Amino acid sequence: MLQKPKGTYDVYGSNGIKILYLENLLRSLMDKYHYEYVRTPIFEASELFHRGVGETTDIVSKETYDFIDRGNRNMTLRPEGTAGVVRSYIENKMYGNPSQPVKTWYMGPMYRYERPQSGRFREFYQFGVEVFGSEDPMMDAEIISIPVNFYRMLGLKGIKVNINSLGDQESRNAYRDALLKHFEPHLDELCEDCKIRYSKNPLRILDCKVDHDLDCMKNAPKISDYLNDASRKHFEKVQQYLDALEIPYQVNPNVVRGLDYYTHTVFEVEASVEGFGSQNVLCGGGRYNHLVETIGGPSTPGVGFALGFERLLTALEFEQIEVGDEHLDLYVIPMEEEIRPYAFALTQSLRMNGFSVDMDYMNRNLKGNFKQADRFQASYVMIIGTTEMETNILTLKNNQTQEEYKIKTDDLILFLDEHIKEEHDE
Ligand code: HAM
């Protein structure tokens, strides 16, 4: 039997209901925050990610899905959303937009050739935001507030916000020198990848999953000791704004992130629930003040984050939070074969009037149909027989209370409007 590729999954049944619920909630949240939707291609020129995400990151050096297209171009399935949105910002000259900052959001599949495990897939789904043109630390705090508010709306309790600052270029250079000095006598202890990181991008060493427990990793210098005044001030302001929003957070110097483009604020929100597993980072992001320039645009500050749907679903399950109920306004049961065209037309017409309506397509008996209505959690059931059709008086049953109503066909929409609305309001 043909099977799905390793590290991927199908969405169907109750998971489909949950995911659509989460997507809709994010859409309406972005409406409230007044961010605009962007969609970029799932594949891009490989060079974009080499320049954008960084050659020394695990993502680009080991995890991209690369292919050569039929025109001999090097292409890559996007491993993340930021680089593509930045490319689009530059290519579509959004920097010329009079209403700055440009605040965008996106949603879609990403691809990383990682070792599949719980919470880590090869095709996974992200929601993300990217904001361009503002250096204001308030923007950093706003970005952090988006996932926090979203997780709160869902009722997640076990979440922890970790923030850190990687500082500006000057601070990072000073820190880089300190790291080189610190790791030089320990080069022999480091893994082969870290030896390359040492010469190319020593900050990456801190992110290594192999060398994680070495003493020289534990007592490595901390970025916080190398922030210059401007970077320190920026970070303090971010914290003041988070305080103003009453968002609890921890300053955690170990948050360095796995992508090269960050400057100043970086953050991660983790599920801090016992037994959740090692892949507990629900979302991450930060500021990237040089990325637009690196990709060939005018010098423009940026800040953003992305969250993964898979780990979010696991977190919801872990905290036993149900989202997105199955729901149907009305289930229609035609009693005889001759009634079916009438019932079919009535079903269509009610759908066009704004109700969610389903009917029996399987010629079930009455008992089987009531079972089906229960499975769909239908609010009302309508049974149509010859008498109903001839008299134009329909029988509706409230599927919870079992109360019965006799309604004239002409009054049906009015009745449903009143009763279904009541149910929705409850
Ligand atoms: P990231 O930390 O690589 O950042 O990914 C963000 C989130 O995507 C993670 O916290 C996790 O929930 C989810 N995720 C990542 N890889 C996987 C995977 N293999 N399987 C399942 N879920 C995964 C970024 O992607 C940056 N572009 C975020 C950003 C936006 N920074 C600034 N703007």
Side-chain angles (χ1 to χ4, degrees):
M1 191 185 48
L2 279 174
Q3 291 186 335
K4 61 187 179 304
K6 210 172 157 187
T8 67
Y9 60 96
D10 299 318
V11 173
Y12 58 94
S14 63
N15 254 357
I17 294 171
K18 282 186 198 171
I19 282 175
L20 288 182
Y21 174 86
L22 296 171
E23 284 184 14
N24 286 336
L25 195 60
L26 284 163
R27 281 198 184 106
S28 81
L29 186 65
M30 283 300 90
D31 196 38
K32 313 246 157 50
Y33 270 85
H34 199 227
Y35 282 45
E36 60 187 85
Y37 177 61
V38 287
R39 198 172 71 191
T40 62
I42 284 173
F43 61 93
E44 298 263 7
S46 303
E47 190 194 342
L48 174 66
F49 303 111
H50 286 253
R51 272 212 256 166
V53 177
E55 304 273 7
T56 53
T57 58
D58 276 358
I59 297 177
V60 164
S61 63
K62 298 186 201 154
E63 295 169 1
T64 48
Y65 275 89
D66 301 313
F67 64 98
I68 296 173
D69 75 4
R70 289 171 196 269
N72 241 351
R73 301 173 195 91
N74 288 310
M75 294 293 175
T76 296
L77 296 184
R78 61 182 185 196
E80 57 102 53
T82 313
V85 175
V86 171
R87 197 254 325 120
S88 169
Y89 172 83
I90 300 167
E91 194 170 339
N92 297 302
K93 299 192 174 55
M94 291 184 220
Y95 46 81
N97 191 333
S99 52
Q100 299 290 325
V102 174
K103 302 189 289 179
T104 67
W105 70 271
Y106 54 90
M107 208 147 48
M110 308 290 162
Y111 299 86
R112 296 183 195 174
Y113 196 82
E114 298 194 86
R115 194 170 60 77
Q117 53 179 285
S118 156
R120 185 172 276 170
F121 294 84
R122 289 185 172 170
E123 182 187 69
F124 57 99
Y125 213 78
Q126 274 188 350
F127 161 85
V129 309
E130 312 295 346
V131 172
F132 301 97
S134 168
E135 264 184 289
D136 195 327
M138 187 160 76
M139 211 66 243
D140 307 35
E142 174 161 312
I143 295 294
I144 298 171
S145 80
I146 295 172
V148 170
N149 282 334
F150 175 57
Y151 297 144
R152 278 184 185 163
M153 284 162 87
L154 291 171
L156 281 176
K157 295 205 170 56
I159 61 163
K160 206 165 107 190
V161 182
N162 290 305
I163 63 169
N164 190 20
S165 171
L166 302 179
D168 59 10
Q169 208 61 52
E170 187 186 83
S171 312
R172 277 185 75 156
N173 287 343
Y175 185 50
R176 184 192 145 93
D177 289 346
L179 286 176
L180 289 176
K181 219 162 141 195
H182 171 80
F183 282 115
E184 196 183 4
H186 302 285
L187 268 177
D188 285 349
E189 301 163 41
L190 298 178
C191 72
E192 288 312 306
D193 280 345
C194 277
K195 286 186 181 122
I196 299 170
R197 290 175 184 134
Y198 180 84
S199 52
K200 289 197 172 161
N201 186 354
L203 195 73
R204 273 283 69 69
I205 299 177
L206 300 175
D207 204 38
C208 179
K209 287 151 202 150
V210 180
D211 292 337
H212 189 257
D213 287 329
L214 294 179
D215 280 345
C216 64
M217 292 285 267
K218 289 180 191 155
N219 53 34
K222 301 258 181 286
I223 179 75
S224 46
D225 295 329
Y226 293 86
L227 294 181
N228 60 15
D229 274 356
S231 302
R232 200 181 307 278
K233 253 191 206 124
H234 183 94
F235 195 37
E236 276 165 15
K237 286 229 172 95
V238 173
Q239 294 175 57
Q240 280 167 19
Y241 284 121
L242 287 175
D243 293 339
L245 296 182
E246 296 182 18
I247 292 178
Y249 56 86
Q250 274 193 337
V251 177
N252 182 342
N254 294 326
V255 175
V256 290
R257 309 277 300 128
L259 305 97
D260 273 353
Y261 44 65
Y262 294 108
T263 51
H264 292 286
T265 320
V266 284
F267 79 98
E268 288 178 350
V269 179
E270 58 178 43
S272 66
V273 190
E274 244 200 55
F276 190 82
S278 57
Q279 302 304 315
N280 68 341
V281 180
L282 298 180
C283 73
R287 183 165 274 287
Y288 46 84
N289 285 351
H290 304 295
L291 182 60
V292 177
E293 230 176 324
T294 309
I295 293 181
S299 167
T300 312
V303 56
F305 91 98
L307 66 83
F309 276 76
E310 296 75 16
R311 295 179 198 178
L312 170 60
L313 285 172
T314 314
L316 289 170
E317 255 169 50
F318 230 84
E319 294 201 24
Q320 294 176 342
I321 296 169
E322 291 286 337
V323 294
D325 276 347
E326 165 92 67
H327 154 81
L328 183 69
D329 290 335
L330 179 68
Y331 184 72
V332 177
I333 307 173
M335 290 297 285
E336 290 117 44
E337 185 59 34
E338 314 81 78
I339 307 294
R340 293 176 70 78
Y342 175 80
F344 187 41
L346 190 62
T347 298
Q348 296 286 334
S349 133
L350 289 172
R351 287 170 177 166
M352 292 309 104
N353 275 285
F355 302 102
S356 63
V357 188
D358 209 342
M359 65 177 284
D360 172 44
Y361 300 97
M362 304 294 287
N363 276 317
R364 291 182 177 86
N365 62 22
L366 202 56
K367 198 172 154 206
N369 265 319
F370 269 103
K371 267 199 186 149
Q372 181 72 344
D374 285 345
R375 276 194 288 268
F376 286 155
Q377 298 182 32
S379 303
Y380 286 85
V381 177
M382 180 160 67
I383 306 157
I384 316 177
T386 327
T387 328
E388 279 82 5
M389 202 170 84
E390 279 166 4
T391 57
N392 271 330
I393 296 180
L394 301 161
T395 309
L396 260 79
K397 200 167 179 184
N398 181 316
N399 204 31
Q400 270 81 54
T401 61
Q402 306 304 319
E403 206 169 334
E404 249 186 44
Y405 301 87
K406 298 274 180 203
I407 314 287
K408 279 198 208 140
T409 318
D410 286 349
D411 296 338
L412 182 60
I413 288 176
L414 202 68
F415 173 87
L416 288 174
D417 255 340
E418 276 171 16
H419 287 71
I420 300 286
K421 196 168 172 300
E422 250 171 45
E423 300 243 327
H424 287 187
D425 289 346
E426 267 171 20

